[in-house]
């Protein structure tokens, strides 16, 4: 009986892919060292397209997004890094950093504790833990100071404010807190629209580089599925998406300006109501 000869095709292909991915990563590392973050992101993305199960590529791309202060994208890549390799400590550091920069201090502290649960004596995470706790406490003090309104730092009512004025101040404080929260949400949505618009513009630019009449198969994401689509339909869809995100960005920009003016007005009203008050 003839023995079946083993095939080496699959291992060789895998090895070649990993080598290509590492080459892209090295290009990304050089660009990152020069603070050319967009260029580095391009190379790390190329590495991921070759080997999507390498957590380091996501970690490095997360660092690039952090360099651009795109904290939402940085957090997204860090989460994917941890998902691929839960024991990769740097993933927790990247995620906690992005969460902290978005003032999500409780989430950042939870992420750090997860990392310390894997490596309890990691000096980078221990230092980050102290920094995040300090930032959280600092923000809490600042918000408390802003929301004092008709009360002193000890929470005592002001002597010169009657009951109705104190109630008005408290109402303004609540309105200011609501406006501030809405302002932050709008700012996040603007960043998301800008990110989506840029991604579509990059995709369109890459498609335009392909020669006309190319018979390459093209797919468009529809939910969680990919549908075979003609080049013209994809280009049309990208144009519509770019226009839509541009309008969203413009509309939200107007709302952001309005909310900023509203916050200043509310703060000014609180100051005017309390400026002549003296503590009991």
């Amino acid at each position: 009986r003839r023995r079946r000869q083993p095939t080496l095709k699959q291992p060789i292909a895998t090895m070649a892919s990993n080598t290509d991915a590492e080459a892209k990563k090295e290009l990304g590392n050089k660009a990152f060292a020069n603070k050319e973050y967009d260029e580095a992101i391009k190379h790390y993305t190329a590495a991921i397209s070759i080997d999507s199960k390498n957590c380091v590529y996501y970690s490095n791309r997360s660092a690039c997004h952090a360099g651009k202060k795109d904290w939402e994208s940085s957090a997204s890549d860090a989460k994917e890094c941890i998902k691929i390799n839960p024991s990769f400590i740097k993933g927790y550091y990247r995620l906690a950093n992005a969460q902290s920069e978005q003032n999500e201090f409780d989430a950042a502290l939870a992420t750090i504790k997860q990392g310390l649960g894997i490596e309890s004596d990691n000096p980078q995470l221990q230092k980050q833990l102290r920094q995040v706790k300090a930032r959280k406490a600092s923000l809490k003090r600042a918000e408390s100071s802003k929301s004092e309104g008709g009360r002193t730092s000890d929470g005592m009512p002001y002597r010169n404010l009657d009951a109705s004025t104190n109630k008005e101040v408290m109402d303004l404080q609540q309105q200011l807190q609501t406006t501030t929260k809405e302002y932050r949400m709008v700012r996040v949505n603007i960043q998301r629209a800008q990110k989506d618009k840029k991604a579509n513009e990059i995709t369109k630019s890459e498609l335009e580089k392909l020669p006309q009449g190319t018979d390459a198969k093209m797919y468009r994401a529809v939910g969680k599925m990919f549908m075979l689509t003609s080049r013209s339909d994809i280009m049309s869809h990208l144009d519509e998406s770019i226009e839509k995100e541009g309008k969203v960005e413009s509309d939200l920009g107007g709302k952001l300006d309005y909310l900023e003016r509203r916050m200043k007005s509310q703060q000014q009203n609180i100051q005017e109501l309390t400026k002549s008050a003296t503590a009991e």
Side-chain angles (χ1 to χ4, degrees), residues 119-160:
E119 190 176 320
S120 60
D121 58 348
N122 185 279
Q124 197 174 25
L125 285 180
Q126 289 175 342
K127 180 180 179 180
Q128 190 181 41
L129 180 65
R130 294 191 296 270
Q131 291 174 333
V132 173
K133 284 182 176 179
R135 287 191 63 183
K136 180 182 179 182
S138 177
L139 181 65
K140 187 175 181 180
R141 286 194 298 270
E143 290 180 344
S144 176
S145 176
K146 288 181 181 179
S147 64
E148 282 170 7
R151 295 181 179 273
T152 67
S153 58
D154 297 325
M156 299 297 293
Y158 286 103
R159 179 186 301 168
N160 293 346

Side-chain angles (χ1 to χ4, degrees), residues 67-231:
K68 296 180 62 181
K69 300 190 184 303
D70 182 356
W71 304 116
E72 185 179 353
S73 298
S74 180
S76 177
D77 274 345
K79 288 177 182 178
E80 189 64 27
C81 170
I82 294 170
K83 180 180 177 181
I84 293 171
N85 186 352
S87 64
F88 189 71
I89 294 298
K90 193 168 287 186
Y92 296 94
Y93 176 83
R94 304 275 193 226
L95 177 57
N97 183 53
Q99 291 169 328
S100 177
E101 290 295 337
Q102 296 178 87
N103 290 344
E104 297 173 356
F105 298 119
D106 290 336
L109 291 172
T111 298
I112 295 169
K113 289 175 182 178
Q114 275 186 288
L116 289 173
I118 299 169
E119 190 176 320
S120 60
D121 58 348
N122 185 279
Q124 197 174 25
L125 285 180
Q126 289 175 342
K127 180 180 179 180
Q128 190 181 41
L129 180 65
R130 294 191 296 270
Q131 291 174 333
V132 173
K133 284 182 176 179
R135 287 191 63 183
K136 180 182 179 182
S138 177
L139 181 65
K140 187 175 181 180
R141 286 194 298 270
E143 290 180 344
S144 176
S145 176
K146 288 181 181 179
S147 64
E148 282 170 7
R151 295 181 179 273
T152 67
S153 58
D154 297 325
M156 299 297 293
Y158 286 103
R159 179 186 301 168
N160 293 346
L161 296 184
D162 56 26
S164 62
T165 306
N166 262 307
K167 183 178 184 305
E168 186 178 355
V169 170
M170 294 299 291
D171 289 340
L172 282 170
Q173 290 171 359
Q174 293 179 352
Q175 292 171 19
L176 177 59
Q177 290 174 352
T178 300
T179 305
T180 302
K181 183 178 180 180
E182 189 176 357
Y183 176 88
R184 291 173 179 169
M185 289 179 62
V186 170
R187 189 168 59 181
V188 168
N189 288 333
I190 288 176
Q191 292 173 344
R192 185 178 293 116
Q194 291 172 335
K195 176 186 172 184
D196 292 343
K197 180 183 175 184
K198 185 174 182 180
N200 286 326
E201 287 174 341
I202 291 173
T203 302
K204 181 182 176 182
S205 176
E206 292 300 315
L207 285 177
E208 288 174 342
K209 294 177 183 179
L210 295 175
Q212 292 291 336
T214 180
D215 58 355
K217 292 183 178 180
M218 297 183 185
Y219 296 85
R220 179 168 72 87
V222 180
K224 295 183 179 180
M225 300 176 61
F226 290 88
M227 295 182 60
L228 183 63
T229 311
S230 68
R231 173 175 174 160

Side-chain angles (χ1 to χ4, degrees), residues 233-247:
D233 285 345
I234 290 178
M235 294 295 284
S236 177
H237 174 74
L238 288 172
D239 286 334
E240 291 175 2
S241 297
I242 291 170
E243 183 179 357
K244 177 183 176 182
E245 296 301 338
K247 186 176 186 305

